[in-house]
Amino acid sequence: MDKAAELVWQLEDTSDKAGQQQQSPDDGDTAEALEQPVHSKDELPQSHTLQWETLGKQFVEYEQVAPFLIPEDQQRRLLEFLPLFLKAWEQSAGVIVFPNIQLLASEVSKLLTKEIKRNLNGKPAEEALLSLEKLLQKKGEAGDGHLLLKSVYLLSQTDLRTIWNIIGSGLPAALMQCLYLFFTVPLKKTSDDGETSEDDAQTQEMLVKIMLNMYKEEQGVEELLAADKLQSLIIATASLWDQCSHSWKVPTGRVLRTISKAQTKNSIVYLQAVDCIKIAIQQLFTLADTLPACDVCEAASIVLCFVKDSYPVSSALLTEFENNDGYQLLLKILVRCEGLQQNEGDPYLDEILDMLTCLTTCGKTELKVSGNIVHPQLPHFDFERTQSSGMTVKNLQPFQVLQSIFQRSNDQHLCGRILAAIGTIWAWDRVNFFLLEWTLQPINQFTDIIHFKPHPVQVQFFRLVESIVLDLSYVPHEILKKVQYLIKENTVPFCTLTALQCLLSMTQKDLLFSDIFRDSGLLGLLLALLRKEAKILRKSAGTHLPGLKEGTEKELNVVMLKMVAALTARSVRNTVVLKDYGMVPYIKIFLDDECYRSATLSILEQLSVINYEEYMSIIIGALCSSTQWELHLKLDLLKSLLRILESPKSHSAFRTCSGFNGLLSLLSDTEGALQDPPSGQWTAVGQNCILELVFYTLQGITAALHLDPVNSNFFQRNGLFEKMAEDLGSLGCFWTREGRQIPVSLEKKRTFAEFLDAVFCSSEPFPAWLKNSIWILNFLDRMVKGTLHQESYFKERKPEMGEESRDDQEAPQTQEEHPVVFKRPGNKLPASTYMLWGNPEEKLEMRDCTIVHPGAVCVMVRLLPKLYNEGHAQLSQEIQCALVDHIQSLVKSEKSRQVMCESGLLSTIITSCQDAFCNDSHPLHLPLTRVFEKLASQAIEPHVLRQFLWLGGSPLLPSRPSANKPNVLLCQGSESANAGSEERVVDSKTDPQTVVPIRTSPWLSKRSALALQTAMSLISMTSPRNFQLHGTALAPSFVEFDMSMEGYGCLYLPTLATVMGSSADQSVSGGTGMGIRTFPPSSGLTLSCWFLVSKFGLVHNSHPLRFLTIVRHMSRTEQEFVCFSVSFFPQDLSLVISTEEVEFQPLDIMEPEGEVLNPSTFPGQVQFGCGKLLVTGQWHHLTVTVAKEAKKNCIVSAYINGQMLGSAKMQYLQPLPGSCVSMEPSSFIDVYGYIATPRVWKQKSSLTWRLGPTYLFEEAISVETIEVIIKLGPQYCSNFQAVQLQESLFVYIVWTEGEVYSGLY
């Protein structure tokens, strides 16, 4: 074969391979891609261009002489020209540059048509077929027929006008006649020549491509009608499919599908006139009983194509199809398809199903159905507003075929394709679901038989049901009832499981389903089933019995638990139903099995909503009853507990159910678990798992203590911090042996932050005990800050109980598991990154760290001596020093020292670190002494001070009676003398009292140094730490308000006055003094207070300093009113005084009112600028005087440190609260106040300020009195009856006790 022809076949094979396999009718599109290079003259080399120009001239000459030649000469001249044309095409790589290509195509096509007719006319079918094959096939040298065929083939792939010229030659009808012969008359080939079969395939492909290119045009189809062969070929495919030529089945199908897509009105009229579809259906009915199912599908799909594709033009063929039992034919064929192999006949079966699906929308009139919506429905569902897209179901007959097939068949592929078709119809238009379900009820009926179908079909069906809710937002109540019946019957466990998973997805979508499934009885059914399973589990007692359910049925139990959890989630009613059923004891049984645990915990967590005590008793009981090795059970229980402890209401139940002791018992159970190397059964447990258990245990304790003073007091009072320290110390990573630690000298010291960096982020090798110890210290430090319960160090992972691990091996894994906490760019973390691990020498300007749980610091101190290992003495000493420095940084602020003194840190230091205090050369001696001095300067108990003095310098004790020994000093617990000492020292292990001669032992100088250090410590303790106003050594008494924690904090003054009606009960009165106090005062009032601002808030979240807010409330009314307030606003440094009557309500709903309750000519609010008078860190005195005048007005004056800020007239406090104009005789008015920010005005900010002695007087005091109060200073705490400014000067300020509204000092 020549190269040009070989190239053609390669191109055609490549472009048509997919079409041959799938029989797609779009194969003719390949020709469009080949149209682009035609006439591309610029792309050709010059030699090829000249060649095409020469051919063009030769063809022009042919055109000129052709009219004067006889037909034989014309044919000869054209056949001589075609080889040159094909050669030029071959040499130019398929690019045709020919000016008269349409004329050439017309001449060649006419000649080919003439030759075909000459070989067919007047001959029997077989003889005509042989003659035709001889004409078209290439045998040896190419004959004239093959030359013409190849030329037409190439020309048919050029452009549309050329195609039209080919169609106009009569070739479409001639080739259709050829195709009919090839399809209907099979010939037996006897030749064994391989080239002959290859030539036949090439000839066939050229013929098919020419027909595809012509018949995809409407003109080509119109030309066919004259030949009367189209109807014959269609009927032949329906009647002779089993007798036709096998090699021409696929090409014939491709050609007929192409014709089907190009149908015109004339072609439809033609096919209808000759009863083509009717006859084809009749013939197919006959074939459906004899032919294999896949062959019948292939033949029927061709006929159905003409029906479907003709509908957009005319419905005539569809009507003919329906009137002649076409749907019954398809039903018969599809029923026979059951049991086909997965890929046998699939393309044709799928094609029939797709066409049936499309036919459901083929109809002239819209289906009308009455709305049958059952309530309740989802909130956003509205059927009336559902818009039609035009793709609605108008023809129910094809859908009935699909529905009938699904009901009759159990074939997985067939049923799956039908369900997919239904989903496609729903996707076209959401109205289709309602049109079908309210008429044919397919899903409703399928639910009754779905348990007979294969498992994959069941899964697909319930996904379809689920999509009704998830995609259509519709609740199909009738369908759901049948699904619940399936679950109740439980005929096929897998079907029950799949159905329950479907309902679970719906329940998780919307809370409405919790009510629906409760009212329908599903919740009660599931509880009854779970009760039965729980009894079986309880009887088995963890043993594997043959009767235990496995596989699908065990998974069914899991889904039932998940379903109950979803039904009780956010539904108190369903939770009450569960409790009323008595299911709580049975639900607990499922905790032991890990596959049931997650859903079981979810159910119990919902139970906590109605009864925290019952939940806590279950969880704490399960934690305490679990064995040492059930670590994953403990972890799951702790995580659930943490979720519940997020609610402050659960803290009391946790305490009363012995939650603290229960969690601490978990630490006791892990005694020795972190030893290196592990011993006993702990070798089979990964140490990461132990650390995770410690972490979640401490998290639970921290969460229970968070913002709960009752729990914090309980934990501290019952010595649970001491027990925590004891349990943590016994884990195995801390030093527990008896004996004295050997002090070593340290060349360098690293901070605790640097240790964290080195242990968790660097490649520096560290022993396992140190890594585990720092992990625990890190947890404790986060607990100190009150943030441990918000941390997340460990990822969720699968059980590792059988995994043998060591800490050294797990270090890389640890780093991967905590990338957020410990992994830093460049694997290097600077110490400054840890802002909470500050250097103790840093300046006080740095933010002080707030100590939330001071007892955790005491735990760290108790563990301090246990941070030791004989094999790593220097490293042990270094980490001890780093921890002490860190503790010192925690107590650098006065507030922190006060908190730590109240928690007993001084006593803990003395009892836990005696060795360091007794030895002045010990590396921890000076750091611990500094910490002790800081704390003792705040507060120290006498017995703690005596212990400190005794450790620093023990008294002289009488020596043992001996005539030969001089006087001795007794020092219990002191360090042994140096090896170079002349005198022998008794070892403290053998003799509890170390006796050392006075004259010759260096111990005396040691004792002197310790005594000197103790004396210096006493001086440091009693020296002032800072200097306040007027050089006072001690800070005044104060209350500090820190808005950074919760955004609120205040002092509540429960009663400032009670205004009584004439007939009110006198027992409700309160306040200081005798009788009834009037409010507002008749002469005015004065606010005097000392305050210090530690830190202002940021500008964008500025929080005011509310010095006083007075609130009133009249009995028998609901609303409270603020009648007087004094506030400082940092954003503009102004003091605002208000006498306006404003409702006492949250900030987010406090809006300016359009109507003034009591209009006045004087303002109800004044503002004074403070300028630079306020300095952070200094005490200031504020005085606000309100002097009442006539006509309901007053003069307000404000002073800072005696300097007047301003004075202004404003309206005075009105007599009654709010808009009240009169007071009933039996009513009364409560007057109370707030200092600082009440909870209703919560607003987080960085503002921190202190309030010193504060007074509210029932008159406007004078400037002279203000000066006296300022001279008295913030340390004065009394009632101003007689004050002494100097040794000989007494000042008397005469105020009766009743004239002082309130005094805070």
Side-chain angles (χ1 to χ4, degrees):
M1 184 172 58
D2 60 359
K3 295 181 179 179
E6 184 178 357
L7 177 61
V8 171
W9 306 135
Q10 290 175 355
L11 288 172
E12 293 304 316
D13 267 348
T14 304
S15 62
D16 295 334
K17 186 178 293 184
Q20 292 175 16
Q21 293 175 354
Q22 301 296 330
Q23 294 204 2
S24 171
D26 297 325
D27 299 283
D29 295 341
T30 311
E32 297 179 4
L34 297 175
E35 290 179 11
Q36 297 178 0
V38 178
H39 307 302
S40 301
K41 188 174 181 178
D42 295 337
E43 300 178 6
L44 294 176
Q46 188 175 3
S47 58
H48 294 167
T49 304
L50 293 175
Q51 187 177 14
W52 281 111
E53 290 177 355
T54 304
L55 281 175
K57 292 177 181 179
Q58 291 179 4
F59 189 73
V60 171
E61 293 176 1
Y62 165 78
E63 289 178 344
Q64 293 172 352
V65 301
F68 306 103
L69 299 177
I70 60 175
E72 290 78 7
D73 290 340
Q74 288 181 3
Q75 180 175 342
R76 180 180 53 77
R77 292 283 298 270
L78 184 59
L79 291 174
E80 290 175 354
F81 174 80
L82 289 179
L84 300 175
F85 176 80
L86 293 176
K87 185 177 181 181
W89 172 83
E90 174 189 348
Q91 292 178 351
S92 58
V95 178
I96 300 175
V97 185
F98 197 76
N100 297 320
I101 191 169
Q102 284 84 18
L103 183 57
L104 176 62
S106 180
E107 293 291 328
V108 175
S109 302
K110 289 177 182 179
L111 183 55
L112 178 60
T113 304
K114 177 183 175 182
E115 289 297 315
I116 292 175
K117 289 181 178 181
R118 184 175 60 83
N119 284 271
L120 295 180
N121 287 341
K123 296 180 181 178
E126 290 191 5
E127 184 180 346
L129 182 60
L130 290 173
S131 177
L132 189 61
E133 286 184 344
K134 184 178 180 181
L135 171 69
L136 299 177
Q137 288 181 356
K138 176 185 176 182
K139 296 184 178 179
E141 292 294 329
D144 295 342
H146 186 78
L147 190 63
L148 290 169
L149 179 65
K150 185 174 180 180
S151 300
V152 173
Y153 167 72
L154 294 177
L155 292 169
S156 68
Q157 301 183 69
T158 53
D159 55 20
L160 189 58
R161 294 186 63 186
T162 306
I163 293 292
W164 290 347
N165 279 273
I166 295 174
I167 293 173
S169 67
L171 186 61
L175 290 186
M176 177 57 66
Q177 192 173 3
C178 296
L179 179 61
Y180 179 82
L181 283 175
F182 286 131
F183 177 75
T184 58
V185 183
L187 289 179
K188 296 181 179 180
K189 297 287 183 179
T190 57
S191 175
D192 297 330
D193 188 3
E195 292 184 2
T196 303
S197 61
E198 183 179 353
D199 291 340
D200 291 345
Q202 293 176 358
T203 301
Q204 182 188 69
E205 186 63 24
M206 284 193 293
L207 277 169
V208 171
K209 286 297 293 183
I210 293 171
M211 286 188 281
L212 292 179
N213 290 332
M214 291 189 302
Y215 298 154
K216 71 181 180 181
E217 304 296 332
E218 291 184 0
Q219 294 90 332
V221 177
E222 293 285 347
E223 287 290 330
L224 285 178
L225 304 182
D228 199 25
K229 288 298 180 183
L230 177 59
Q231 174 244 3
S232 301
L233 183 60
I234 295 173
I235 294 175
T237 57
S239 58
L240 302 175
W241 195 262
D242 55 337
Q243 304 170 21
C244 67
S245 172
H246 182 73
S247 62
W248 279 93
K249 284 184 178 181
V250 173
T252 302
R254 292 171 63 190
V255 171
L256 287 177
R257 284 179 173 84
T258 301
I259 296 173
S260 173
K261 290 201 170 187
Q263 288 183 86
T264 64
K265 194 165 186 179
N266 291 334
S267 66
I268 296 172
V269 172
Y270 162 77
L271 292 176
Q272 185 185 15
V274 296
D275 293 333
C276 178
I277 301 300
K278 176 181 178 181
I279 298 171
I281 291 173
Q282 293 172 353
Q283 296 299 324
L284 285 172
F285 263 113
T286 305
L287 288 179
D289 295 326
T290 57
L291 279 183
C294 56
D295 290 339
V296 180
C297 283
E298 189 173 0
S301 65
I302 296 173
V303 177
L304 199 57
C305 273
F306 280 88
V307 175
K308 178 183 74 74
D309 294 336
S310 68
Y311 184 80
V313 181
S314 172
S315 60
L317 296 186
L318 175 60
T319 304
E320 185 178 352
F321 177 80
E322 292 175 345
N323 294 338
N324 290 278
D325 299 329
Y327 293 121
Q328 286 72 17
L329 170 66
L330 294 180
L331 181 61
K332 184 176 183 179
I333 294 172
L334 292 174
V335 167
R336 290 200 58 206
C337 289
E338 183 171 4
L340 289 178
Q341 297 298 324
Q342 181 67 26
N343 296 320
E344 185 182 350
D346 278 359
Y348 309 108
L349 174 61
D350 292 347
E351 188 176 12
I352 290 178
L353 293 173
D354 289 339
M355 286 189 284
L356 270 174
T357 306
C358 292
L359 288 177
T360 59
T361 62
C362 296
K364 295 300 182 182
T365 57
E366 297 282 345
L367 293 179
K368 301 296 182 182
V369 291
S370 59
N372 189 24
I373 298 174
V374 180
H375 292 278
Q377 290 294 330
L378 296 173
H380 46 281
F381 172 77
D382 188 356
F383 179 74
E384 299 300 329
R385 295 185 180 180
T386 303
Q387 298 294 328
S388 174
S389 64
M391 290 287 289
T392 56
V393 173
K394 304 180 186 69
N395 188 1
L396 292 179
Q397 292 186 73
F399 189 86
Q400 287 175 320
V401 174
L402 297 174
Q403 185 174 355
S404 299
I405 293 300
F406 187 88
Q407 291 171 332
R408 297 184 186 185
S409 173
N410 286 327
D411 182 75
Q412 175 180 333
H413 176 73
L414 188 57
C415 291
R417 285 290 288 111
I418 292 173
L419 291 177
I422 295 175
T424 302
I425 294 172
W426 292 357
W428 286 340
D429 196 317
R430 58 184 302 173
V431 177
N432 288 339
F433 165 76
F434 302 100
L435 296 178
L436 293 172
E437 201 60 37
W438 291 346
T439 52
L440 303 178
Q441 296 185 327
I443 303 301
N444 201 323
Q445 294 178 16
F446 291 173
T447 309
D448 297 330
I449 59 173
I450 190 61
H451 57 280
F452 296 115
K453 306 297 179 182
H455 290 177
V457 177
Q458 295 176 12
V459 173
Q460 189 176 358
F461 172 76
F462 284 110
R463 283 179 184 167
L464 199 61
V465 174
E466 184 181 331
S467 70
I468 300 173
V469 174
L470 301 184
D471 299 334
L472 303 180
S473 300
Y474 175 70
V475 182
H477 289 274
E478 292 299 323
I479 296 173
L480 294 182
K481 287 180 183 177
K482 291 198 172 184
V483 174
Q484 292 179 50
Y485 182 77
L486 269 179
I487 296 172
K488 181 180 179 180
E489 293 298 316
N490 194 20
T491 307
V492 179
F494 183 85
C495 184
T496 306
L497 171 65
T498 312
L500 201 55
Q501 288 173 335
C502 170
L503 298 188
L504 176 61
S505 299
M506 295 180 187
T507 307
Q508 293 170 342
K509 174 181 174 60
D510 197 277
L511 191 59
L512 174 65
F513 289 97
S514 298
D515 298 330
I516 292 175
F517 292 139
R518 179 191 64 245
D519 298 338
S520 66
L522 177 63
L523 177 59
L525 171 64
L526 294 177
L527 294 179
L529 293 173
L530 287 175
R531 184 196 299 266
K532 179 181 177 182
E533 296 299 329
K535 290 179 180 179
I536 296 174
L537 282 176
R538 184 169 56 186
K539 289 180 181 178
S540 67
T543 60
H544 184 81
L545 299 176
L548 284 180
K549 300 186 182 297
E550 297 293 340
T552 300
E553 299 205 3
K554 187 169 186 179
E555 190 176 353
L556 179 59
N557 292 338
V558 175
V559 179
M560 284 196 294
L561 284 168
K562 288 182 179 179
M563 186 65 184
V564 173
L567 290 174
T568 55
R570 300 175 295 161
S571 176
V572 176
R573 288 187 62 186
N574 286 357
T575 307
V576 172
V577 169
L578 181 142
K579 184 174 174 61
D580 292 344
Y581 267 61
M583 284 298 298
V584 176
Y586 296 99
I587 294 295
K588 290 193 301 183
I589 298 173
F590 291 100
L591 280 174
D592 294 332
D593 197 320
E594 189 169 5
C595 67
Y596 301 143
R597 191 174 301 147
S598 175
T600 304
L601 288 174
S602 298
I603 297 172
L604 294 176
E605 287 169 20
Q606 296 306 316
L607 178 67
S608 69
V609 176
I610 60 174
N611 194 332
Y612 281 112
E613 286 75 11
E614 188 168 12
Y615 168 83
M616 290 297 175
S617 63
I618 293 172
I619 298 300
I620 301 301
L623 282 170
C624 295
S625 61
S626 59
T627 65
Q628 279 183 306
W629 322 114
E630 291 178 317
L631 294 182
H632 291 283
L633 170 62
K634 296 178 181 178
L635 287 173
D636 292 335
L637 294 173
L638 286 171
K639 292 172 186 177
S640 173
L641 182 63
L642 281 170
R643 289 191 289 270
I644 300 304
L645 286 174
E646 292 176 3
S647 170
K649 297 179 181 178
S650 65
H651 294 183
S652 175
F654 177 80
R655 181 185 68 253
T656 55
C657 294
S658 302
F660 290 116
N661 288 320
L663 294 190
L664 290 177
S665 69
L666 300 182
L667 298 179
S668 304
D669 290 342
T670 55
E671 181 177 359
L674 295 180
Q675 286 183 358
D676 185 35
S679 60
Q681 292 185 334
W682 294 118
T683 55
V685 181
Q687 291 195 351
N688 266 2
C689 197
I690 303 298
L691 283 174
E692 190 174 359
L693 178 65
V694 174
F695 169 70
Y696 283 111
T697 303
L698 296 180
Q699 256 199 333
I701 294 174
T702 308
L705 298 176
H706 183 62
L707 297 178
D708 194 316
V710 177
N711 279 4
S712 299
N713 183 50
F714 175 85
F715 202 83
Q716 182 77 34
R717 188 181 66 252
N718 288 276
L720 297 182
F721 278 114
E722 290 80 356
K723 187 176 187 309
M724 180 195 295
E726 180 182 350
D727 293 336
L728 291 175
S730 64
L731 287 174
C733 57
F734 295 98
W735 178 263
T736 55
R737 302 176 190 172
E738 297 293 334
R740 190 184 300 272
Q741 300 178 10
I742 304 174
V744 295
S745 59
L746 300 177
E747 298 179 357
K748 64 173 184 177
K749 290 185 179 181
R750 284 178 281 188
T751 65
F752 202 71
E754 291 172 340
F755 261 104
L756 285 177
D757 179 24
V759 169
F760 299 119
C761 300
S762 73
S763 58
E764 183 179 352
F766 278 95
W769 70 268
L770 179 61
K771 291 183 178 181
N772 294 332
S773 300
I774 291 185
W775 261 111
I776 294 172
L777 291 174
N778 186 28
F779 298 157
L780 289 172
D781 184 70
R782 300 295 178 181
M783 186 177 184
V784 171
K785 314 298 189 306
T787 62
L788 181 64
H789 63 291
Q790 301 169 348
E791 303 286 347
S792 179
Y793 289 111
F794 296 89
K795 293 182 179 179
E796 297 290 337
R797 58 179 183 269
K798 295 181 180 179
E800 301 173 347
M801 292 297 294
E803 187 177 302
E804 186 174 356
S805 59
R806 297 289 187 273
D807 246 37
D808 289 348
Q809 300 168 352
E810 289 178 353
Q813 178 187 356
T814 303
Q815 185 171 342
E816 286 185 7
E817 287 178 351
H818 320 294
V820 176
V821 181
F822 298 115
K823 196 170 183 179
R824 294 292 185 271
N827 208 24
K828 181 65 179 176
L829 179 67
S832 60
T833 303
Y834 291 91
M835 295 204 56
L836 298 183
W837 309 95
N839 191 313
E841 303 301 329
E842 288 174 342
K843 296 181 179 180
L844 287 177
E845 296 87 56
M846 292 191 64
R847 175 170 176 79
D848 293 337
C849 119
T850 303
I851 297 179
V852 179
H853 302 300
V857 181
C858 297
V859 175
M860 296 169 72
V861 171
R862 291 179 186 275
L863 294 176
L864 176 64
K866 299 181 180 182
L867 286 170
Y868 186 77
N869 188 285
E870 289 179 335
H872 307 88
Q874 185 166 357
L875 191 60
S876 304
Q877 206 76 66
E878 190 177 358
I879 185 61
Q880 285 180 339
C881 291
L883 181 59
V884 174
D885 289 343
H886 176 57
I887 294 173
Q888 184 178 351
S889 70
L890 293 177
V891 297
K892 64 184 178 182
S893 68
E894 183 180 1
K895 180 169 62 177
S896 298
R897 292 196 291 270
Q898 180 181 356
V899 170
M900 293 313 306
C901 287
E902 292 174 355
S903 68
L905 181 59
L906 281 170
S907 176
T908 304
I909 292 175
I910 286 296
T911 55
S912 302
C913 307
Q914 290 189 9
D915 288 348
F917 277 108
C918 292
N919 184 2
D920 63 345
S921 63
H922 196 287
L924 298 181
H925 180 79
L926 289 179
L928 283 173
T929 302
R930 283 199 295 270
V931 174
F932 192 91
E933 290 172 359
K934 284 187 175 184
L935 296 173
S937 66
Q938 180 70 33
I940 187 170
E941 297 179 0
H943 73 279
V944 177
L945 180 60
R946 282 194 294 271
Q947 275 187 297
F948 174 74
L949 296 175
W950 178 80
L951 289 174
S954 300
L956 292 175
L957 295 178
S959 64
R960 296 173 183 172
S962 175
N964 300 325
K965 290 185 180 180
N967 294 331
V968 297
L969 287 173
L970 180 65
C971 180
Q972 184 174 355
S974 63
E975 191 181 21
S976 300
N978 295 334
S981 175
E982 295 180 2
E983 294 294 327
R984 177 178 175 271
V985 180
V986 182
D987 191 348
S988 62
K989 293 183 181 178
T990 57
D991 191 346
Q993 294 180 336
T994 304
V995 183
V996 184
I998 293 178
R999 296 177 182 175
T1000 59
S1001 173
W1003 181 87
L1004 182 59
S1005 60
K1006 277 189 177 184
R1007 178 182 177 277
S1008 300
L1010 286 173
L1012 177 61
Q1013 179 65 48
T1014 303
M1016 294 174 63
S1017 296
L1018 287 174
I1019 296 172
S1020 175
M1021 294 175 198
T1022 54
S1023 300
R1025 293 275 157 184
N1026 50 17
F1027 291 88
Q1028 306 296 333
L1029 189 64
H1030 305 298
T1032 54
L1034 297 176
S1037 301
F1038 63 87
V1039 177
E1040 185 171 76
F1041 303 102
D1042 187 351
M1043 299 296 104
S1044 64
M1045 297 294 292
E1046 294 297 322
Y1048 71 93
C1050 67
L1051 297 176
Y1052 174 56
L1053 311 177
T1055 177
L1056 294 175
T1058 305
V1059 181
M1060 310 293 297
S1062 58
S1063 61
D1065 186 1
Q1066 298 295 320
S1067 63
V1068 300
S1069 63
T1072 305
M1074 301 297 294
I1076 299 174
R1077 184 191 297 277
T1078 60
F1079 189 89
S1082 58
S1083 60
L1085 55 87
T1086 299
L1087 171 66
S1088 168
C1089 70
W1090 289 92
F1091 70 96
L1092 177 147
V1093 180
S1094 303
K1095 184 176 182 180
F1096 283 113
L1098 300 176
V1099 176
H1100 66 274
N1101 63 349
S1102 182
H1103 194 125
L1105 282 74
R1106 296 183 172 93
F1107 294 109
L1108 177 64
T1109 303
I1110 298 179
V1111 184
R1112 292 190 292 188
H1113 169 252
M1114 181 179 287
S1115 61
R1116 301 189 182 94
T1117 62
E1118 295 182 359
Q1119 189 58 53
E1120 302 165 304
F1121 292 89
V1122 177
C1123 60
F1124 181 75
S1125 63
V1126 179
S1127 304
F1128 174 77
F1129 289 86
Q1131 62 264 37
D1132 54 1
L1133 299 176
S1134 63
L1135 184 73
V1136 177
I1137 304 163
S1138 173
T1139 58
E1140 287 181 329
E1141 204 78 11
V1142 181
E1143 289 188 8
F1144 184 58
Q1145 56 188 353
L1147 290 174
D1148 54 356
I1149 60 174
M1150 289 183 67
E1151 300 177 356
E1153 298 183 7
E1155 180 183 353
V1156 180
L1157 295 178
N1158 293 294
S1160 173
T1161 56
F1162 298 99
Q1165 180 175 296
V1166 295
Q1167 180 174 329
F1168 300 119
C1170 297
K1172 299 181 181 180
L1173 294 177
L1174 293 186
V1175 181
T1176 57
Q1178 292 186 11
W1179 283 98
H1180 300 280
H1181 182 264
L1182 169 68
T1183 306
V1184 176
T1185 63
V1186 181
K1188 187 178 183 302
E1189 293 184 340
K1191 298 181 180 179
K1192 299 182 181 180
N1193 65 302
C1194 62
I1195 297 178
V1196 177
S1197 304
Y1199 305 83
I1200 291 287
N1201 299 333
Q1203 181 177 344
M1204 178 180 282
L1205 299 179
S1207 181
K1209 273 193 176 186
M1210 64 185 301
Q1211 66 183 34
Y1212 192 56
L1213 284 71
Q1214 63 186 48
L1216 298 175
S1219 58
C1220 298
V1221 294
S1222 63
M1223 181 177 176
E1224 295 182 6
S1226 61
S1227 63
F1228 58 89
I1229 300 174
D1230 286 324
V1231 183
Y1232 53 94
Y1234 296 96
I1235 294 179
T1237 303
R1239 186 169 186 172
V1240 71
W1241 292 340
K1242 178 179 179 179
Q1243 179 188 4
K1244 279 198 173 185
S1245 169
S1246 54
L1247 171 68
T1248 304
W1249 65 290
R1250 299 175 180 179
L1251 180 74
T1254 301
Y1255 300 89
L1256 182 62
F1257 302 105
E1258 197 177 6
E1259 66 177 47
I1261 64 177
S1262 63
V1263 176
E1264 293 76 13
T1265 305
I1266 295 174
E1267 292 177 354
V1268 172
I1269 295 176
I1270 294 174
K1271 288 180 182 179
L1272 289 173
Q1275 284 73 34
Y1276 178 79
C1277 301
S1278 189
N1279 57 4
F1280 299 102
Q1281 298 302 301
V1283 296
Q1284 182 178 5
L1285 295 179
Q1286 299 175 1
E1287 292 184 359
S1288 59
L1289 177 61
F1290 283 85
V1291 177
Y1292 292 88
I1293 304 176
V1294 182
W1295 280 312
T1296 64
E1297 191 173 354
E1299 289 178 310
V1300 181
Y1301 264 97
S1302 180
L1304 300 175
Y1305 44 82

